[in-house]
Amino acid sequence: MGGETQTRATSSYPKIATAPVGQQIHSIYKDRLGQFTSGGQYESKNLLSKLYEGHASGDDHVKLSVYSPPDLARPSFKEATSNNFKPTEVGESFGPSWSTHWFKIQLRVPSELQEKEHLELHWDANNEGLVWTEDGDPLQGLTGGGERVEWILPEAWKDGKDHIFYIEMACNGMFGNPPGGDTIQPPSPDKYFQLQKAEIVAVNLEARQLFVDFWIIGDGAREFPDESWQSHEALQICNQIMDVFTAGHGSQDSILKGRKLARKYLGNDVDSSKVYENDNQPIVYAVGNCHIDTCWLWPWAETKRKVARSWANQCNLLDRYPEHRFVASQAQQFKWLETIYPSLYDRVKAHVKKGTFQFVGGSWVEHDTNMPSGESLVRQFLYGQRFFESHFGERCTTFWLPDTFGYSSQLPQLCRLAGMSRFFTQKLSWNNINNFPHTTFNWVSLDGSQVMCHMAPAETYTAEAHFGDVKRSETQHKSMDQDATSLLMFGKGDGGGGPTFQQIEKLRRCRGISDKVGLLPRVKMGDSVEDFFSRLQKKAEEGTKFVTWYGELYFELHRGTYTTQANNKRNNRQSEIMLHDLEYLATLATFKGALTGQKSTYRYPKADIDSMWEKVLLCQFHDCLPGSAIEMCYDDSDELYEEVFETGERLLAEVMSVLGFSEYDASKGKPMAINTLSWPRAEVVKLPGSSTSAKVPQYALAKGGPGVIDVEPISQISFQSSATIKEVRKGVFELANNNLKLEVENGTITSLIDLSVNREIIPKGSKANQLVIFDDKPLYWQAWDVEVYHLESREELPASKSEIVEQGPHRVSVVTETKISEESWIKTTISLAASVGAGPSFVEMESEVEWRESMKFLKVEFPVDIRNTEASYETQYGIVRRPTHYNTSWDMAKFEVCCHKWADLSENGYGVSILNDSKYGFATCGNMMRLSLLRAPKAPDAHADMGRHHIRYAILPHAGTLDSRTVRTAYNFNNPMKIHSHSSPHSTTSLLSAISLHGSPALILDTIKRGEDDEDVSRGEFSKRSGKSIILRIYESLGGKARGTIKTRFPVKKVWKCNILEDDGEEMELDDGEVEVELRPYEVATFRLQL
């Protein structure tokens, strides 16, 4: 062909096929992977057999003795170690449930292990424990049951000498003492725990690392899409590792070769934090956390030890892993640590200073947000933020509630007023009807305030840091149009523990996979929660429009928590009211001399008030107040509430004495009442000590206020109004006053007429105050849940005969007893008082209940002749409106909702409110208003709500739409006036009315207290503020702009509008003791009056 020919490079590709080669059956090769790291028949031949290079146990090396405190006591280290210890050994059992056993361990490392690289003590009794030094410093928490059973021995102990340390054993698991496999069942009182392991172990660190390598690469083979090359490559490498290990007979060399193969998929940097040190952009930010329920399936006392065990673990991991960041919330838990474990607290504080142990949340505990009052929510932030700032020099900027059962509508406003603009949760991922549609969004409060909210798309706060957790952080992210980043909160939780070293190692490998082969979302450790939110807020500042969610974050689960443990909820409401009254009276009493010119020796009882608030706030923890804890927790909370009430009664008696009041005695002065609310009141009240048959006047007219109210026995004044009662037909009673007329038959109200407008409230043929009972068996979470199908089991409770117990003329009553079952009954008294002036009238129901049911739900129904597609419910500092229909699944999901002191159904021109004094569960379906009274779940407390209950509620018809009459009447209903005697009431009248609010009736002066850092009040947490001040909290209650005037007779020099942490903001104009204020709809405003 002409020209030169060029010779191509020869190929080594064989000409002749040497043997058949088949395609791998991937399902088989994937299933094979389990052989390499699982127990069972192949364990002696797989990687598990190579994890440890040596063991030592028995008295020569791990000599054990034990002290078992009596009576389930939990002694301190000093108390325990001062006792005699008796010899014990592996195989012995310890108990019963909740007991404590202290072990003294004398450890000597044998010569054959002294040259080993890494030694650990492995201790497993299938329960929790805490390792202590011989000098009494807590070192390491132990979980048991194969998890977190190791404690790394100090290098100095490889000397062949004896070394002493202690282990404090708690006879409970991470989740208490459930009797079997069902965690939420009431704890068994007699569980015993066998000490199964107490040995020195030499760990093969390369084998341990290969175990994690193989785990994560195997996840890639299983969880990457089957059609992806990343899945195929992962499967090949895993099988190659197994083949190399088998060929090398499990030698150390084969383990090292296996690790070299793993690096082909993971990269070269997974053994250190260097894996994160590159410019590749992550989208998943992993932060360790340790959710410790302050009580749940264990009592408070055990929580205190859980904090120490968990946070000791994290201090150790922070020392070992430079990239690790750990967050913890709940100021109460930090205070417990500081008080009980001071050396461990110092370790935590040192890590806080380094920025590796990070506090978040800004609240006293991770509290329920549905049921605490508005002022309680404020105090959660006030006490939490003050603790963190006084102890660590900074406030929190992120509110942190990963596990609370729904989020009330005013939280964004209160967060902003507490210095926090970010909010983290994930609980709405538990919704069992609708999927919440957002991951990162602006959450907007009733007043328009907003916070940046992020809900972890991995849908957990206790991620195991698995490959799948990282993957789901992308695949379940719902806000990628605005931002693709997310938080991955990992670590053992609920019962404490926090991240493990295995979890941190897994995340290193997940990052290695992302950088080496891709496809997996890139994860990063080392950033803080604040770093994450700062980036989001910067994007918002630069123009990214994050979606908005207005109003409450309603949780479509755990609706039964509005009702369970009724007496606990009653204690909460009563303690909130007591603290309100105490602060009001104590504040004004400290300024007695400012009006009289006389020096007063009374000191504001700040320490006692703080103690009371801290106990109330603790009991608002999200498993205590909702009623979802074990019986022991309610024994604890009953004790705390008793302390609150005892302290409160003592302090009230002291301040009342300073103000010149004494217990009511007709011979010791004029009867007077104190109105601690911010508007005048006029009511018929019962005089203390009187009865129907008594010759002294039974009722009096209390009228006036705020402050001191005149109380005039009705027999001594001209009082034209009266209440009447008569039996109009057999068993049918008519009760009437100037405003209302009702008929009662068999304990139900068959007619209720508003005489002022001649309107019948009860639909024809219907019965109000009808007690109904429902079968109450939720899908699983007994104390937590009530499911929609329970409504199909409605059963009316028939009443027995009714009888008149009060015949007027100032109050009339009829009582009816209803048999619920052979063991349960309810006695309900329906009463109507004489009307007073132009004030509204309501029909009051007071019930005494003996409740001995099982898995039943007691409610009371009020069908009303009102039509509206929305009902209104009081929430903290405002109103939330919810549907009365089931148009959509979102509407139907709200078949049981939370309210505070009232719920209302109104149409144009008329409405009906249902008031209560300690209930929170409610439902309005069409025109049926239904108040939830009692439940009877049997887990986790087998005796929840069993026993005697006292319940008050009322029906308040009103001409016109919902307005301040309902709001104020509900306050009055929850704050019954108490009658006292005073020899010279005019001397106190001026003082107790020295601060008042005038103007729009929508404005509520909700709190009067002293300034936290006033020079005569401060407890020294911060620099004292010169002078004295009064704090006023005012809110707009109806949803419209409102103007008012603060008036004071005290010598006030300046007035500031401040936040709820009492930082001064705008200075207000003060004119002759008056300050004009204007609040936007539902605004919460705090003012500081400087004297």
Side-chain angles (χ1 to χ4, degrees), residues 55-64 105-114 121 153 160-163 165 198-200:
H55 302 258
S57 58
D59 280 357
D60 290 342
H61 306 295
V62 185
K63 187 176 182 179
L64 306 176
I105 296 101
Q106 181 176 304
L107 183 143
R108 179 185 298 176
V109 177
S111 57
E112 64 269 20
L113 297 185
Q114 291 172 19
L121 173 80
L153 296 182
K161 297 180 181 178
D162 288 340
H163 297 275
F165 65 100
E199 61 180 1
I200 302 169

PDB file of all heavy atoms in Angstrom, residues 55-64 105-114 121 153 160-163 165 198-200:
ATOM      1  N   HIS A  55      -7.529 -10.492  77.900  1.00  0.00           N
ATOM      2  CA  HIS A  55      -8.497 -10.222  78.961  1.00  0.00           C
ATOM      3  C   HIS A  55      -7.856 -10.575  80.299  1.00  0.00           C
ATOM      4  O   HIS A  55      -6.985 -11.463  80.384  1.00  0.00           O
ATOM      5  CB  HIS A  55      -9.752 -11.070  78.782  1.00  0.00           C
ATOM      6  CG  HIS A  55     -10.455 -10.880  77.472  1.00  0.00           C
ATOM      7  ND1 HIS A  55     -11.591 -10.131  77.337  1.00  0.00           N
ATOM      8  CD2 HIS A  55     -10.175 -11.360  76.228  1.00  0.00           C
ATOM      9  CE1 HIS A  55     -11.993 -10.147  76.087  1.00  0.00           C
ATOM     10  NE2 HIS A  55     -11.138 -10.894  75.389  1.00  0.00           N
ATOM     11  N   ALA A  56      -8.316  -9.905  81.349  1.00  0.00           N
ATOM     12  CA  ALA A  56      -7.886 -10.259  82.701  1.00  0.00           C
ATOM     13  C   ALA A  56      -9.034  -9.953  83.657  1.00  0.00           C
ATOM     14  O   ALA A  56      -9.638  -8.880  83.592  1.00  0.00           O
ATOM     15  CB  ALA A  56      -6.640  -9.479  83.103  1.00  0.00           C
ATOM     16  N   SER A  57      -9.338 -10.914  84.518  1.00  0.00           N
ATOM     17  CA  SER A  57     -10.429 -10.720  85.479  1.00  0.00           C
ATOM     18  C   SER A  57     -10.128 -11.539  86.723  1.00  0.00           C
ATOM     19  O   SER A  57      -9.054 -12.124  86.861  1.00  0.00           O
ATOM     20  CB  SER A  57     -11.765 -11.140  84.854  1.00  0.00           C
ATOM     21  OG  SER A  57     -11.727 -12.488  84.445  1.00  0.00           O
ATOM     22  N   GLY A  58     -11.072 -11.612  87.632  1.00  0.00           N
ATOM     23  CA  GLY A  58     -10.876 -12.345  88.875  1.00  0.00           C
ATOM     24  C   GLY A  58     -10.178 -11.499  89.915  1.00  0.00           C
ATOM     25  O   GLY A  58      -9.690 -10.391  89.644  1.00  0.00           O
ATOM     26  N   ASP A  59     -10.102 -12.004  91.123  1.00  0.00           N
ATOM     27  CA  ASP A  59      -9.590 -11.230  92.252  1.00  0.00           C
ATOM     28  C   ASP A  59      -8.147 -10.783  92.075  1.00  0.00           C
ATOM     29  O   ASP A  59      -7.734  -9.772  92.649  1.00  0.00           O
ATOM     30  CB  ASP A  59      -9.707 -12.048  93.540  1.00  0.00           C
ATOM     31  CG  ASP A  59     -11.121 -12.015  94.097  1.00  0.00           C
ATOM     32  OD1 ASP A  59     -11.970 -11.304  93.502  1.00  0.00           O
ATOM     33  OD2 ASP A  59     -11.387 -12.685  95.115  1.00  0.00           O
ATOM     34  N   ASP A  60      -7.351 -11.522  91.295  1.00  0.00           N
ATOM     35  CA  ASP A  60      -5.954 -11.124  91.108  1.00  0.00           C
ATOM     36  C   ASP A  60      -5.838  -9.825  90.329  1.00  0.00           C
ATOM     37  O   ASP A  60      -4.830  -9.115  90.458  1.00  0.00           O
ATOM     38  CB  ASP A  60      -5.180 -12.226  90.376  1.00  0.00           C
ATOM     39  CG  ASP A  60      -4.972 -13.457  91.246  1.00  0.00           C
ATOM     40  OD1 ASP A  60      -5.111 -13.325  92.480  1.00  0.00           O
ATOM     41  OD2 ASP A  60      -4.698 -14.527  90.694  1.00  0.00           O
ATOM     42  N   HIS A  61      -6.836  -9.533  89.527  1.00  0.00           N
ATOM     43  CA  HIS A  61      -6.723  -8.366  88.640  1.00  0.00           C
ATOM     44  C   HIS A  61      -7.884  -7.372  88.801  1.00  0.00           C
ATOM     45  O   HIS A  61      -7.677  -6.170  88.653  1.00  0.00           O
ATOM     46  CB  HIS A  61      -6.651  -8.832  87.187  1.00  0.00           C
ATOM     47  CG  HIS A  61      -5.565  -9.818  86.945  1.00  0.00           C
ATOM     48  ND1 HIS A  61      -4.227  -9.510  87.073  1.00  0.00           N
ATOM     49  CD2 HIS A  61      -5.616 -11.136  86.612  1.00  0.00           C
ATOM     50  CE1 HIS A  61      -3.497 -10.575  86.810  1.00  0.00           C
ATOM     51  NE2 HIS A  61      -4.314 -11.579  86.545  1.00  0.00           N
ATOM     52  N   VAL A  62      -9.076  -7.865  89.086  1.00  0.00           N
ATOM     53  CA  VAL A  62     -10.234  -6.992  89.295  1.00  0.00           C
ATOM     54  C   VAL A  62     -10.944  -7.485  90.552  1.00  0.00           C
ATOM     55  O   VAL A  62     -11.883  -8.276  90.495  1.00  0.00           O
ATOM     56  CB  VAL A  62     -11.185  -6.999  88.082  1.00  0.00           C
ATOM     57  CG1 VAL A  62     -12.311  -5.982  88.285  1.00  0.00           C
ATOM     58  CG2 VAL A  62     -10.449  -6.691  86.790  1.00  0.00           C
ATOM     59  N   LYS A  63     -10.489  -7.007  91.676  1.00  0.00           N
ATOM     60  CA  LYS A  63     -11.024  -7.464  92.962  1.00  0.00           C
ATOM     61  C   LYS A  63     -12.203  -6.567  93.350  1.00  0.00           C
ATOM     62  O   LYS A  63     -12.082  -5.346  93.376  1.00  0.00           O
ATOM     63  CB  LYS A  63      -9.938  -7.416  94.032  1.00  0.00           C
ATOM     64  CG  LYS A  63     -10.360  -8.035  95.361  1.00  0.00           C
ATOM     65  CD  LYS A  63      -9.199  -8.049  96.338  1.00  0.00           C
ATOM     66  CE  LYS A  63      -9.597  -8.712  97.649  1.00  0.00           C
ATOM     67  NZ  LYS A  63      -8.455  -8.743  98.613  1.00  0.00           N
ATOM     68  N   LEU A  64     -13.328  -7.183  93.653  1.00  0.00           N
ATOM     69  CA  LEU A  64     -14.575  -6.446  93.871  1.00  0.00           C
ATOM     70  C   LEU A  64     -15.048  -6.553  95.308  1.00  0.00           C
ATOM     71  O   LEU A  64     -14.995  -7.628  95.915  1.00  0.00           O
ATOM     72  CB  LEU A  64     -15.678  -6.987  92.953  1.00  0.00           C
ATOM     73  CG  LEU A  64     -15.382  -7.048  91.453  1.00  0.00           C
ATOM     74  CD1 LEU A  64     -16.549  -7.698  90.722  1.00  0.00           C
ATOM     75  CD2 LEU A  64     -15.113  -5.660  90.903  1.00  0.00           C
ATOM     76  N   ILE A 105     -13.330  -1.200  93.507  1.00  0.00           N
ATOM     77  CA  ILE A 105     -12.577  -2.073  92.606  1.00  0.00           C
ATOM     78  C   ILE A 105     -11.088  -1.861  92.831  1.00  0.00           C
ATOM     79  O   ILE A 105     -10.600  -0.718  92.776  1.00  0.00           O
ATOM     80  CB  ILE A 105     -12.930  -1.801  91.123  1.00  0.00           C
ATOM     81  CG1 ILE A 105     -14.414  -2.137  90.857  1.00  0.00           C
ATOM     82  CG2 ILE A 105     -12.063  -2.642  90.199  1.00  0.00           C
ATOM     83  CD1 ILE A 105     -15.299  -0.948  90.813  1.00  0.00           C
ATOM     84  N   GLN A 106     -10.404  -2.951  93.116  1.00  0.00           N
ATOM     85  CA  GLN A 106      -8.947  -2.941  93.224  1.00  0.00           C
ATOM     86  C   GLN A 106      -8.407  -3.601  91.955  1.00  0.00           C
ATOM     87  O   GLN A 106      -8.600  -4.791  91.745  1.00  0.00           O
ATOM     88  CB  GLN A 106      -8.502  -3.702  94.463  1.00  0.00           C
ATOM     89  CG  GLN A 106      -7.000  -3.740  94.675  1.00  0.00           C
ATOM     90  CD  GLN A 106      -6.638  -4.441  95.973  1.00  0.00           C
ATOM     91  OE1 GLN A 106      -7.104  -4.055  97.048  1.00  0.00           O
ATOM     92  NE2 GLN A 106      -5.812  -5.474  95.866  1.00  0.00           N
ATOM     93  N   LEU A 107      -7.765  -2.801  91.120  1.00  0.00           N
ATOM     94  CA  LEU A 107      -7.386  -3.264  89.784  1.00  0.00           C
ATOM     95  C   LEU A 107      -5.871  -3.338  89.643  1.00  0.00           C
ATOM     96  O   LEU A 107      -5.143  -2.427  90.049  1.00  0.00           O
ATOM     97  CB  LEU A 107      -7.985  -2.316  88.742  1.00  0.00           C
ATOM     98  CG  LEU A 107      -7.764  -2.663  87.272  1.00  0.00           C
ATOM     99  CD1 LEU A 107      -9.002  -2.322  86.465  1.00  0.00           C
ATOM    100  CD2 LEU A 107      -6.565  -1.905  86.708  1.00  0.00           C
ATOM    101  N   ARG A 108      -5.412  -4.443  89.070  1.00  0.00           N
ATOM    102  CA  ARG A 108      -3.990  -4.618  88.774  1.00  0.00           C
ATOM    103  C   ARG A 108      -3.860  -5.183  87.357  1.00  0.00           C
ATOM    104  O   ARG A 108      -4.405  -6.245  87.055  1.00  0.00           O
ATOM    105  CB  ARG A 108      -3.309  -5.550  89.769  1.00  0.00           C
ATOM    106  CG  ARG A 108      -1.823  -5.785  89.470  1.00  0.00           C
ATOM    107  CD  ARG A 108      -1.218  -6.812  90.399  1.00  0.00           C
ATOM    108  NE  ARG A 108      -1.264  -6.378  91.791  1.00  0.00           N
ATOM    109  CZ  ARG A 108      -0.862  -7.126  92.819  1.00  0.00           C
ATOM    110  NH1 ARG A 108      -0.416  -8.359  92.597  1.00  0.00           N
ATOM    111  NH2 ARG A 108      -0.930  -6.668  94.051  1.00  0.00           N
ATOM    112  N   VAL A 109      -3.130  -4.478  86.503  1.00  0.00           N
ATOM    113  CA  VAL A 109      -2.939  -4.931  85.123  1.00  0.00           C
ATOM    114  C   VAL A 109      -1.874  -6.013  85.103  1.00  0.00           C
ATOM    115  O   VAL A 109      -0.751  -5.797  85.591  1.00  0.00           O
ATOM    116  CB  VAL A 109      -2.534  -3.758  84.213  1.00  0.00           C
ATOM    117  CG1 VAL A 109      -2.265  -4.255  82.787  1.00  0.00           C
ATOM    118  CG2 VAL A 109      -3.607  -2.676  84.218  1.00  0.00           C
ATOM    119  N   PRO A 110      -2.186  -7.193  84.546  1.00  0.00           N
ATOM    120  CA  PRO A 110      -1.186  -8.265  84.500  1.00  0.00           C
ATOM    121  C   PRO A 110      -0.047  -7.915  83.544  1.00  0.00           C
ATOM    122  O   PRO A 110      -0.202  -7.107  82.625  1.00  0.00           O
ATOM    123  CB  PRO A 110      -1.982  -9.473  83.999  1.00  0.00           C
ATOM    124  CG  PRO A 110      -3.115  -8.888  83.238  1.00  0.00           C
ATOM    125  CD  PRO A 110      -3.460  -7.606  83.935  1.00  0.00           C
ATOM    126  N   SER A 111       1.082  -8.544  83.744  1.00  0.00           N
ATOM    127  CA  SER A 111       2.270  -8.221  82.956  1.00  0.00           C
ATOM    128  C   SER A 111       2.041  -8.427  81.468  1.00  0.00           C
ATOM    129  O   SER A 111       2.547  -7.669  80.638  1.00  0.00           O
ATOM    130  CB  SER A 111       3.452  -9.082  83.434  1.00  0.00           C
ATOM    131  OG  SER A 111       3.119 -10.474  83.334  1.00  0.00           O
ATOM    132  N   GLU A 112       1.258  -9.446  81.099  1.00  0.00           N
ATOM    133  CA  GLU A 112       1.072  -9.733  79.669  1.00  0.00           C
ATOM    134  C   GLU A 112       0.232  -8.679  78.961  1.00  0.00           C
ATOM    135  O   GLU A 112       0.180  -8.652  77.716  1.00  0.00           O
ATOM    136  CB  GLU A 112       0.432 -11.115  79.480  1.00  0.00           C
ATOM    137  CG  GLU A 112      -0.974 -11.271  80.028  1.00  0.00           C
ATOM    138  CD  GLU A 112      -1.007 -11.758  81.469  1.00  0.00           C
ATOM    139  OE1 GLU A 112       0.041 -11.607  82.159  1.00  0.00           O
ATOM    140  OE2 GLU A 112      -2.064 -12.258  81.908  1.00  0.00           O
ATOM    141  N   LEU A 113      -0.417  -7.797  79.725  1.00  0.00           N
ATOM    142  CA  LEU A 113      -1.215  -6.744  79.090  1.00  0.00           C
ATOM    143  C   LEU A 113      -0.573  -5.363  79.222  1.00  0.00           C
ATOM    144  O   LEU A 113      -1.062  -4.402  78.629  1.00  0.00           O
ATOM    145  CB  LEU A 113      -2.619  -6.696  79.707  1.00  0.00           C
ATOM    146  CG  LEU A 113      -3.514  -7.927  79.538  1.00  0.00           C
ATOM    147  CD1 LEU A 113      -4.899  -7.654  80.105  1.00  0.00           C
ATOM    148  CD2 LEU A 113      -3.622  -8.331  78.067  1.00  0.00           C
ATOM    149  N   GLN A 114       0.506  -5.277  79.973  1.00  0.00           N
ATOM    150  CA  GLN A 114       1.073  -3.957  80.258  1.00  0.00           C
ATOM    151  C   GLN A 114       1.676  -3.279  79.037  1.00  0.00           C
ATOM    152  O   GLN A 114       1.782  -2.052  78.992  1.00  0.00           O
ATOM    153  CB  GLN A 114       2.123  -4.074  81.366  1.00  0.00           C
ATOM    154  CG  GLN A 114       1.521  -4.407  82.720  1.00  0.00           C
ATOM    155  CD  GLN A 114       2.551  -4.707  83.783  1.00  0.00           C
ATOM    156  OE1 GLN A 114       3.735  -4.346  83.642  1.00  0.00           O
ATOM    157  NE2 GLN A 114       2.133  -5.377  84.854  1.00  0.00           N
ATOM    158  N   LEU A 121     -11.489  -1.025  80.987  1.00  0.00           N
ATOM    159  CA  LEU A 121     -12.293  -1.844  81.879  1.00  0.00           C
ATOM    160  C   LEU A 121     -13.644  -2.037  81.203  1.00  0.00           C
ATOM    161  O   LEU A 121     -14.261  -1.056  80.765  1.00  0.00           O
ATOM    162  CB  LEU A 121     -12.497  -1.163  83.229  1.00  0.00           C
ATOM    163  CG  LEU A 121     -13.484  -1.912  84.152  1.00  0.00           C
ATOM    164  CD1 LEU A 121     -12.795  -3.074  84.827  1.00  0.00           C
ATOM    165  CD2 LEU A 121     -14.107  -0.980  85.188  1.00  0.00           C
ATOM    166  N   LEU A 153      -8.635   2.812  80.645  1.00  0.00           N
ATOM    167  CA  LEU A 153      -7.762   2.847  81.810  1.00  0.00           C
ATOM    168  C   LEU A 153      -6.623   3.837  81.589  1.00  0.00           C
ATOM    169  O   LEU A 153      -6.091   3.952  80.476  1.00  0.00           O
ATOM    170  CB  LEU A 153      -7.181   1.461  82.080  1.00  0.00           C
ATOM    171  CG  LEU A 153      -8.187   0.369  82.451  1.00  0.00           C
ATOM    172  CD1 LEU A 153      -7.460  -0.943  82.738  1.00  0.00           C
ATOM    173  CD2 LEU A 153      -9.015   0.774  83.662  1.00  0.00           C
ATOM    174  N   GLY A 160       1.591  -2.608  86.931  1.00  0.00           N
ATOM    175  CA  GLY A 160       1.558  -3.821  87.741  1.00  0.00           C
ATOM    176  C   GLY A 160       1.192  -3.590  89.182  1.00  0.00           C
ATOM    177  O   GLY A 160       1.225  -4.535  89.984  1.00  0.00           O
ATOM    178  N   LYS A 161       0.822  -2.386  89.542  1.00  0.00           N
ATOM    179  CA  LYS A 161       0.467  -2.069  90.918  1.00  0.00           C
ATOM    180  C   LYS A 161      -1.052  -2.041  91.092  1.00  0.00           C
ATOM    181  O   LYS A 161      -1.796  -1.966  90.129  1.00  0.00           O
ATOM    182  CB  LYS A 161       1.064  -0.717  91.314  1.00  0.00           C
ATOM    183  CG  LYS A 161       2.582  -0.678  91.291  1.00  0.00           C
ATOM    184  CD  LYS A 161       3.094   0.692  91.693  1.00  0.00           C
ATOM    185  CE  LYS A 161       4.621   0.734  91.654  1.00  0.00           C
ATOM    186  NZ  LYS A 161       5.146   2.090  92.011  1.00  0.00           N
ATOM    187  N   ASP A 162      -1.497  -2.058  92.354  1.00  0.00           N
ATOM    188  CA  ASP A 162      -2.922  -1.981  92.647  1.00  0.00           C
ATOM    189  C   ASP A 162      -3.405  -0.542  92.535  1.00  0.00           C
ATOM    190  O   ASP A 162      -2.723   0.393  92.995  1.00  0.00           O
ATOM    191  CB  ASP A 162      -3.208  -2.497  94.056  1.00  0.00           C
ATOM    192  CG  ASP A 162      -3.060  -4.007  94.153  1.00  0.00           C
ATOM    193  OD1 ASP A 162      -3.115  -4.669  93.110  1.00  0.00           O
ATOM    194  OD2 ASP A 162      -2.886  -4.507  95.287  1.00  0.00           O
ATOM    195  N   HIS A 163      -4.587  -0.387  91.946  1.00  0.00           N
ATOM    196  CA  HIS A 163      -5.208   0.931  91.818  1.00  0.00           C
ATOM    197  C   HIS A 163      -6.664   0.804  92.238  1.00  0.00           C
ATOM    198  O   HIS A 163      -7.338  -0.161  91.880  1.00  0.00           O
ATOM    199  CB  HIS A 163      -5.098   1.447  90.387  1.00  0.00           C
ATOM    200  CG  HIS A 163      -3.681   1.648  89.941  1.00  0.00           C
ATOM    201  ND1 HIS A 163      -2.971   2.801  90.198  1.00  0.00           N
ATOM    202  CD2 HIS A 163      -2.830   0.815  89.286  1.00  0.00           C
ATOM    203  CE1 HIS A 163      -1.760   2.690  89.703  1.00  0.00           C
ATOM    204  NE2 HIS A 163      -1.633   1.485  89.148  1.00  0.00           N
ATOM    205  N   PHE A 165     -10.568   2.339  92.490  1.00  0.00           N
ATOM    206  CA  PHE A 165     -11.599   3.255  92.011  1.00  0.00           C
ATOM    207  C   PHE A 165     -12.949   2.666  92.395  1.00  0.00           C
ATOM    208  O   PHE A 165     -13.039   1.557  92.952  1.00  0.00           O
ATOM    209  CB  PHE A 165     -11.484   3.508  90.494  1.00  0.00           C
ATOM    210  CG  PHE A 165     -11.728   2.300  89.639  1.00  0.00           C
ATOM    211  CD1 PHE A 165     -12.955   2.102  89.009  1.00  0.00           C
ATOM    212  CD2 PHE A 165     -10.719   1.353  89.433  1.00  0.00           C
ATOM    213  CE1 PHE A 165     -13.173   0.990  88.212  1.00  0.00           C
ATOM    214  CE2 PHE A 165     -10.938   0.249  88.636  1.00  0.00           C
ATOM    215  CZ  PHE A 165     -12.166   0.058  88.027  1.00  0.00           C
ATOM    216  N   ALA A 198     -16.789  -7.876  84.490  1.00  0.00           N
ATOM    217  CA  ALA A 198     -15.908  -6.908  85.139  1.00  0.00           C
ATOM    218  C   ALA A 198     -14.495  -7.359  84.831  1.00  0.00           C
ATOM    219  O   ALA A 198     -13.928  -8.186  85.537  1.00  0.00           O
ATOM    220  CB  ALA A 198     -16.159  -6.846  86.641  1.00  0.00           C
ATOM    221  N   GLU A 199     -13.921  -6.841  83.742  1.00  0.00           N
ATOM    222  CA  GLU A 199     -12.637  -7.350  83.287  1.00  0.00           C
ATOM    223  C   GLU A 199     -11.807  -6.269  82.612  1.00  0.00           C
ATOM    224  O   GLU A 199     -12.347  -5.278  82.106  1.00  0.00           O
ATOM    225  CB  GLU A 199     -12.841  -8.509  82.309  1.00  0.00           C
ATOM    226  CG  GLU A 199     -13.598  -8.134  81.044  1.00  0.00           C
ATOM    227  CD  GLU A 199     -13.781  -9.315  80.098  1.00  0.00           C
ATOM    228  OE1 GLU A 199     -13.344 -10.416  80.433  1.00  0.00           O
ATOM    229  OE2 GLU A 199     -14.369  -9.104  79.016  1.00  0.00           O
ATOM    230  N   ILE A 200     -10.501  -6.489  82.631  1.00  0.00           N
ATOM    231  CA  ILE A 200      -9.575  -5.659  81.874  1.00  0.00           C
ATOM    232  C   ILE A 200      -9.487  -6.227  80.463  1.00  0.00           C
ATOM    233  O   ILE A 200      -9.337  -7.447  80.277  1.00  0.00           O
ATOM    234  CB  ILE A 200      -8.181  -5.648  82.522  1.00  0.00           C
ATOM    235  CG1 ILE A 200      -8.278  -5.147  83.977  1.00  0.00           C
ATOM    236  CG2 ILE A 200      -7.216  -4.789  81.718  1.00  0.00           C
ATOM    237  CD1 ILE A 200      -6.993  -5.359  84.771  1.00  0.00           C
TER     238      ILE A 200
END
